[in-house]
Amino acid sequence: DTEVTQTPKHLVMGMTNKKSLKCEQHMGHRAMYWYKQKAKKPPELMFVYSYEKLSINESVPSRFSPECPNSSLLNLHLHALQPEDSALYLCASSQDNGINTDTQYFGPGTRLTVL
Amino acid sequence: KQEVTQIPAALSVPEGENLVLNCSFTDSAIYNLQWFRQDPGKGLTSLLLIQSSQREQTSGRLNASLDKSSGRSTLYIAASQPGDSATYLCAVRTQGGSEKLVFGKGTKLTVNP
């Protein structure tokens, strides 16, 4: 099983809403990632969890709040977003047991629209 | 700061043609380089990963090469098919700093039947 799943596939929210994105993998990977991708741009790293601890925060605004409840799950809590936060949000995971060979596997993404 | 460039930005070829996609990076102190495929509105599919000590990797009709000293990688696709149409992204994992993946902007490939 080399699958990373993400829910929901699409999300439309207002600027005052609170919502969450979910990501799950059952490959035994110990690193999980959130990326943001705007149209016709490459993915940009937001957060990295390694062994369930936040290891990288790429200076992301506090209206995005990540959570890693266990080694298989990764959430991204959203609150008071702006229209410019509309994007494809990608989750990825990797084994994190050897940086030279560490392949990241991506989920299908959640298409977020902020009204 | 690592910068990754992909040329061309878009490429259109007839079915059956062999083609090469290019990727260059400015900082040769990398752990690995990874090629991905992305279909419109979808996630990324990992195609090949080349470790910094390797020169090339092959998977089916795909062959990726790495020349770390010159900061270049190529992705060779043999006997292209319409199903190969997608955006191809290369990404490098750089030593030092946050060691994150830095992506190029991608090459949009169209294979015409």
Side-chain angles (χ1 to χ4, degrees):
Chain A
D1 182 5
T2 59
E3 189 177 27
V4 176
T5 59
Q6 291 187 243
T7 55
K9 291 185 179 180
H10 302 276
L11 178 62
V12 179
M13 60 186 291
M15 290 189 284
T16 59
N17 292 157
K18 286 184 179 181
K19 296 288 184 182
S20 297
L21 309 184
K22 297 184 183 301
C23 174
E24 189 168 4
Q25 57 87 16
H26 295 289
M27 296 179 277
H29 289 174
R30 303 315 299 259
M32 296 187 77
Y33 311 77
W34 280 116
Y35 288 84
K36 173 182 178 180
Q37 187 178 25
K38 302 283 279 186
K40 300 188 186 302
K41 300 287 187 181
E44 296 178 351
L45 183 67
M46 300 175 71
F47 302 103
V48 181
Y49 273 83
S50 179
Y51 291 80
E52 301 169 42
K53 292 185 178 179
L54 183 64
S55 60
I56 296 176
N57 177 341
E58 289 286 310
S59 302
V60 179
S62 60
R63 57 186 184 269
F64 295 92
S65 176
E67 178 196 19
C68 189
N70 60 57
S71 60
S72 299
L73 293 173
L74 184 66
N75 298 321
L76 186 63
H77 302 298
L78 314 172
H79 174 55
L81 294 193
Q82 304 296 312
E84 58 264 30
D85 296 321
S86 299
L88 181 67
Y89 287 83
L90 295 164
C91 174
S93 69
S94 69
Q95 289 184 327
D96 200 20
N97 63 354
I99 197 166
N100 285 346
T101 58
D102 202 36
T103 301
Q104 292 190 23
Y105 294 89
F106 283 76
T110 293
R111 173 71 61 187
L112 174 67
T113 303
V114 182
L115 302 176
Chain B
K1 178 185 174 184
Q2 180 73 271
E3 294 183 1
V4 180
T5 303
Q6 291 187 245
I7 295 174
L11 180 64
S12 182
V13 302
E15 181 177 3
E17 190 163 298
N18 301 327
L19 59 101
V20 175
L21 307 180
N22 297 293
C23 173
S24 61
F25 47 95
T26 55
D27 185 349
S28 62
I30 65 171
Y31 288 114
N32 58 50
L33 182 145
Q34 201 165 351
W35 282 94
F36 293 90
R37 168 190 172 135
Q38 186 172 31
D39 293 290
K42 305 292 186 182
L44 278 66
T45 300
S46 178
L47 299 174
L48 290 164
L49 180 146
I50 311 177
Q51 298 177 48
S52 61
S53 59
Q54 296 175 326
R55 298 283 293 182
E56 66 178 311
Q57 283 285 334
T58 298
S59 176
R61 293 183 294 110
L62 306 179
N63 177 278
S65 68
L66 174 64
D67 184 341
K68 195 175 71 166
S69 61
S70 67
R72 296 178 187 274
S73 176
T74 61
L75 179 67
Y76 174 82
I77 302 177
S80 58
Q81 303 171 358
D84 295 329
S85 299
T87 295
Y88 291 81
L89 295 153
C90 77
V92 296
R93 196 159 191 181
T94 307
Q95 298 178 16
S98 66
E99 300 174 347
K100 65 181 183 181
L101 276 180
V102 177
F103 285 84
K105 292 184 177 180
T107 294
K108 183 176 181 180
L109 173 66
T110 303
V111 181
N112 300 302

